[in-house]
Amino acid sequence: MTGTDTHDGADLIDVDAAVDRVRALRTEWLPRLETEQVSLDELAGRTLAEPISAPVDVPAQSHATMDGFAFDATDEYPLAVVETPVFPEDEPAALEAGTAVRIATGSPLPASANAVLKRENAVVEDGQLTGPDLEPGHYVYQRGSNVAAGEELFDAGERLGPKDALLLGDLEIEAVPVSKRLSVGLLATGTEIHEGRHRDLDSPMLAGLVRSWGHEATYEGSVPDVDDRVEERIAELADEYDVVITTGGTSVGDKDYVIRSLDALGDVLFHRVRLRPGKPIAVAELPDSDAVAFAIPGKPIGAHLVTSLVARPFFAGETALPTVAAQMARDVDISTAGFTYGIPVTLEDGVAMPLGHTDSPLSVYKETFDPSVLSSSTRASQADGIVLTTEAVAADEQVRVVPYPVLER
């Protein structure tokens, strides 16, 4: 793009295309970040800097998963029971052919043993064990059956969660290499906000999203709608932070200076996506500052939606949107084909009520979804999730709802 681009609508791109560009930007950016080691209790939300392969077999040796008797399942009954039982802390001697040993749950199997007969199914008379025939591996947690040494388990760029500490700990890994958190500077634009006549609703919400995605967010105040002031402030923050997120000033009005500023400072990858609400987002690279910029529209509900759908992959590496099934409570028509619509809904007993419909607690539209008014209606933030659709939705139609917690983690 150039500073003379008129943004007449031909530059709108589909949401999926925007997400692909943001993911590519993330792939390009991750190797630039410094790395650090974090312990397992601090890895949640962090991004792996290097792939991780299993250094050892897990388990390192086969274990009994039941109290009973361990033996070689290819031997025939009766089996002579050896005197010394095996407990989890033991290092048992090898079993001789034709013998069995009492064993406790979690105990290592003696060499040559490959099955465990549950105590309730065992019969011992005069030191001789009999019972049902078993296959090798019966009630045995076999060496390497969980993880084999050398197996690649985590990819570079993967974002870790609390559950990942379980497997890493089992592999005897104490710390992992992660990319340092992105530093993010938040800047609100708009004379009405800068002069205190309107409250900045977006910046606290955006800071929360950035932090929930595992990075550091700092609010850097506001700037009035003055061309050189907007450009100057973005440039200053780009020199200080990895990422600059602006709010407001992303449309095509006379005082919407953000896009022009980004054009002057770097390369605008795209401006405006086919999403309602939230259409006028822009993403730019600022190579002179080695920074990235996300320009977010000012209307709060649209700002949350487009940031969660389009910017989230850069910060969290996540594009999957798990859904829950529901039945739409009301007809919802759309006004313009060719767009993805994010319809906020509340969920109750498997029914999705469009929050904003005149029959809901927030009355914005009757039949045709109104993204413009809804985008400013902060009560819509009380929805449980969103229905993403490119077509009208009929009452009683089965829909897929993306719960808001999916977008905010």
Side-chain angles (χ1 to χ4, degrees):
M1 282 186 186
T2 68
T4 60
D5 189 283
T6 59
H7 302 295
D8 59 4
D11 56 334
L12 268 73
I13 65 173
D14 291 337
V15 175
D16 288 346
V19 168
D20 287 343
R21 295 191 190 185
V22 170
R23 287 188 67 186
L25 185 61
R26 181 178 191 267
T27 300
E28 175 190 338
W29 252 79
L30 279 179
R32 305 183 193 179
L33 298 176
E34 295 181 8
T35 63
E36 60 185 353
Q37 295 281 328
V38 296
S39 59
L40 300 191
D41 61 337
E42 296 178 327
L43 61 72
R46 303 305 298 270
T47 299
L48 268 181
E50 302 170 7
I52 294 179
S53 297
V56 293
D57 286 336
V58 177
Q61 57 189 124
S62 298
H63 289 75
T65 62
M66 281 285 178
D67 290 340
F69 294 84
F71 53 87
D72 183 346
T74 63
D75 284 347
E76 294 184 357
Y77 296 120
L79 302 170
V81 178
V82 301
E83 293 184 359
T84 305
V86 179
F87 295 101
E89 65 273 17
D90 293 336
E91 294 184 9
L95 276 182
E96 295 182 5
T99 65
V101 65
R102 292 183 186 274
I103 195 166
T105 300
S107 302
L109 257 67
S112 74
N114 57 25
V116 173
L117 174 63
K118 189 162 62 171
R119 183 174 58 189
E120 295 91 319
N121 296 336
V123 177
V124 178
E125 293 181 353
D126 298 326
Q128 299 292 307
L129 171 71
T130 58
D133 290 336
L134 305 180
E135 294 292 328
H138 192 74
Y139 287 133
V140 174
Y141 184 24
Q142 294 180 330
R143 174 177 178 171
S145 61
N146 185 33
V147 177
E151 184 178 354
E152 186 169 310
L153 300 171
F154 298 91
D155 292 328
E158 188 170 344
R159 187 163 171 254
L160 300 175
K163 66 180 177 58
D164 294 317
L166 296 172
L167 178 54
L168 291 166
D170 208 14
L171 293 169
E172 300 180 1
I173 293 174
E174 303 296 336
V176 293
V178 298
S179 300
K180 286 199 170 182
R181 300 180 191 273
L182 290 166
S183 62
V184 180
L186 297 164
L187 176 68
T189 72
T191 302
E192 72 283 5
I193 289 176
H194 189 68
E195 294 180 352
R197 289 183 281 113
H198 286 182
R199 186 184 182 94
D200 175 13
L201 299 175
D202 296 335
S203 294
M205 175 271 293
L206 293 169
L209 285 178
V210 168
R211 291 169 186 149
S212 73
W213 295 331
H215 302 284
E216 298 171 351
T218 303
Y219 178 54
E220 288 287 357
S222 60
V223 65
D225 292 319
V226 178
D227 196 354
D228 58 344
R229 291 281 300 279
V230 174
E231 182 178 330
E232 178 183 312
R233 193 71 183 109
I234 292 174
E236 290 173 351
L237 296 181
D239 286 339
E240 185 176 351
Y241 295 97
D242 298 317
V243 182
V244 179
I245 297 180
T246 65
T247 58
T250 62
S251 293
V252 290
D254 291 340
K255 290 191 175 183
D256 290 320
Y257 294 121
V258 172
I259 308 306
R260 278 172 266 178
S261 298
L262 294 179
D263 255 343
L265 293 170
D267 302 312
V268 178
L269 302 183
F270 59 86
H271 173 212
R272 300 192 297 174
V273 297
R274 296 186 180 278
L275 176 71
R276 291 182 171 176
K279 175 178 65 176
I281 185 177
V283 179
E285 289 187 274
L286 309 179
D288 289 347
S289 302
D290 199 24
V292 170
F294 289 87
I296 307 299
K299 293 183 178 180
I301 299 302
H304 181 276
L305 180 63
V306 76
T307 305
S308 299
L309 291 179
V310 177
R312 170 174 166 256
F314 182 80
F315 295 99
E318 297 286 346
T319 58
L321 298 174
T323 60
V324 296
Q327 190 175 51
M328 201 66 158
R330 298 292 185 272
D331 291 336
V332 179
D333 200 2
I334 60 173
S335 58
T336 306
F339 281 80
T340 296
Y341 287 81
I343 303 172
V345 298
T346 56
L347 284 172
E348 185 173 358
D349 298 329
V351 176
M353 170 60 77
L355 187 56
H357 191 280
T358 189
D359 292 340
S360 78
L362 174 64
S363 182
V364 171
Y365 59 91
K366 186 174 183 180
E367 295 177 355
T368 302
F369 184 65
D370 187 342
S372 179
V373 175
L374 186 81
S375 193
S376 299
S377 304
T378 53
R379 184 163 184 173
S381 66
Q382 290 193 306
D384 297 310
I386 56 171
V387 173
L388 295 172
T389 183
T390 57
E391 301 175 343
V393 183
D396 298 329
E397 182 177 339
Q398 288 292 313
V399 293
R400 306 298 305 185
V401 179
V402 182
Y404 273 126
V406 167
L407 299 172
E408 296 187 338
R409 65 171 182 239

